[in-house]
Amino acid sequence: MSRADSRRWRAARTPADLGDLMALWLEGGLGSRPGYEPHWGPDDETTALIPTLAALCRAGYITTCSQPGLTGTGANGRWWEQRAAVTGLVTDEALLARLLRSAADTGMNTCVNQLRRRGGRQGQPIVVTTCDGQPVTAFGGRIRRADLAPEWAGTHPRLFAQIATGTYLTIAAPAYGTTGQNLWRTIQGTLRPRPCSTSG
């Protein structure tokens, strides 16, 4: 990534700072983000989700991967199905509890994964994409420190220490296709404005 972008990520000290930068990258204000191809923005299929994803990041659910609910014939002529789904980092326990409660109340699937020195919760991955009925992509699943290091390469050690003790939460619609798009309304309903943060 560019030196200017690298300095921005290195300057972040708190999860709130991290969320602000991830939102900025989603919106096109930064050219690169850690753990992603340099000088690339979100995939085209994510375009319609950017306002929601940016709001989630700024509220404390720092999204790292997401997709809309879709079904249809792919470029290879085969039948593809996607669940609306998102995964990301949460360090605020109150927000985590609200997200999990809202997901349970609306029948969403969840997977919670935590990295802890003495062992944390390690949920099972959720299949979110199939091709001709066969699993292709899953979100969530066991995480290790070795997985987090490349994903957040270039962040300050003080921030990485907070990342490593946070929770990775996956939320996925129960159904494939556009009917699962209500996932985004479900998540947005849990968000509350947070105070502005300052780095230091």
Side-chain angles (χ1 to χ4, degrees):
M1 69 175 67
S2 70
R3 290 182 179 179
D5 283 354
S6 181
R7 284 195 295 269
R8 294 286 296 275
W9 290 102
R10 186 72 176 179
R13 294 291 188 274
T14 69
D17 295 337
L18 185 64
D20 287 339
L21 291 176
M22 286 293 282
L24 195 59
W25 172 78
L26 284 162
E27 294 165 340
L30 282 174
S32 302
R33 54 159 276 200
Y36 203 79
E37 186 71 23
H39 312 295
W40 281 80
D43 288 343
D44 289 343
E45 71 173 11
T46 308
T47 300
L49 302 179
I50 286 174
T52 297
L53 296 173
L56 293 175
C57 287
R58 291 190 172 105
Y61 185 15
I62 305 167
T63 66
T64 56
C65 197
S66 61
Q67 65 180 34
L70 299 169
T71 58
T73 303
N76 60 359
R78 301 170 71 184
W79 184 253
W80 290 79
E81 295 184 307
Q82 287 187 180
R83 303 178 198 261
V86 61
T87 191
L89 172 69
V90 184
T91 60
D92 180 334
E93 292 296 326
L95 174 59
L96 177 63
R98 291 200 306 274
L99 288 164
L100 287 170
R101 184 167 56 249
S102 179
D105 289 346
T106 54
M108 299 294 167
N109 298 309
T110 59
C111 174
V112 174
N113 298 98
Q114 298 167 320
L115 177 66
R116 297 284 189 268
R117 289 182 179 179
R118 297 181 182 176
R121 294 169 65 181
Q122 294 287 0
Q124 295 300 307
I126 300 170
V127 174
V128 296
T129 304
T130 65
C131 180
D132 287 344
Q134 298 301 309
V136 173
T137 305
F139 283 5
R142 184 177 181 84
I143 56 172
R144 303 167 301 163
R145 194 177 184 89
D147 301 320
L148 295 180
E151 182 166 16
W152 298 110
T155 56
H156 193 277
R158 187 189 305 174
L159 175 57
F160 186 77
Q162 297 171 79
I163 291 170
T165 54
T167 297
Y168 271 80
L169 172 64
T170 296
I171 306 176
Y176 291 93
T178 56
T179 58
Q181 288 291 88
N182 63 336
L183 174 144
W184 309 110
R185 292 189 297 276
T186 295
I187 297 175
Q188 279 188 310
T190 67
L191 303 184
R192 299 173 183 167
R194 61 166 169 77
C196 294
S197 65
T198 57
S199 300

